[in-house]
Amino acid sequence: VQLQASGGGLAQAGGSLRLSCAASGRVFSSSVMGWFRQAPGKEREFISGISRSGGSIYYANSVKGRFTTSRDNAKNTMYLQMNSLKPEDTAVYYCAIGRGVEYRPPFPADYWGQGTQVTVSS
């Protein structure tokens, strides 16, 4: 299984970015998926998880109301729409395939994407 995250870049505070996570293999539709981020000098943070069907989604308080996670099982792709970006959202963002069926914390992950950098300027 391979995960490819893309869509990162530079945005101004208040702006938007959309991340994508494309998965190879046949496990995508049968797997819970998640987004993590890691800012410089900080621990990796689990920010969102989505159930296999996409009908249930978890958000960390730090992104709730600003970020939206979705998935398209026909395209083996998960998305993270990030609105109202803040400088504190600056981090490397990772997508992951979760273990089991739980999409909420602690979300142990079996596979990780390579990460995509998001930088938000004030």
Side-chain angles (χ1 to χ4, degrees), residues 1 8 12-13 30 32 41 44 46-48 56 58 60 68 72 77 80 105 108 112:
V1 176
Q12 290 187 334
S30 62
V32 294
R44 188 171 294 187
F46 175 55
I47 60 171
S48 182
S56 298
Y58 163 84
T68 301
D72 186 337
T77 303
L80 182 66
W112 294 88

Side-chain angles (χ1 to χ4, degrees), residues 83-116:
N83 297 329
S84 302
L85 283 164
K86 304 175 181 180
E88 50 264 43
D89 294 320
T90 295
V92 178
Y93 284 72
Y94 299 89
C95 57
I97 291 178
R99 190 176 308 157
V101 300
E102 183 56 70
Y103 61 94
R104 292 166 294 189
F107 199 89
D110 282 337
Y111 302 97
W112 294 88
Q114 85 288 2
T116 184

Side-chain angles (χ1 to χ4, degrees), residues 4 9 18 36-37 44 54 57 77-79 87 96 98 101 107:
Q4 181 72 38
R18 189 193 195 202
F36 291 75
R37 67 184 182 185
R44 188 171 294 187
I57 305 172
T77 303
M78 175 178 65
Y79 305 96
V101 300
F107 199 89

Side-chain angles (χ1 to χ4, degrees), residues 34-46:
W35 288 102
F36 291 75
R37 67 184 182 185
Q38 188 166 19
K42 295 187 176 181
E43 293 186 353
R44 188 171 294 187
E45 176 189 14
F46 175 55

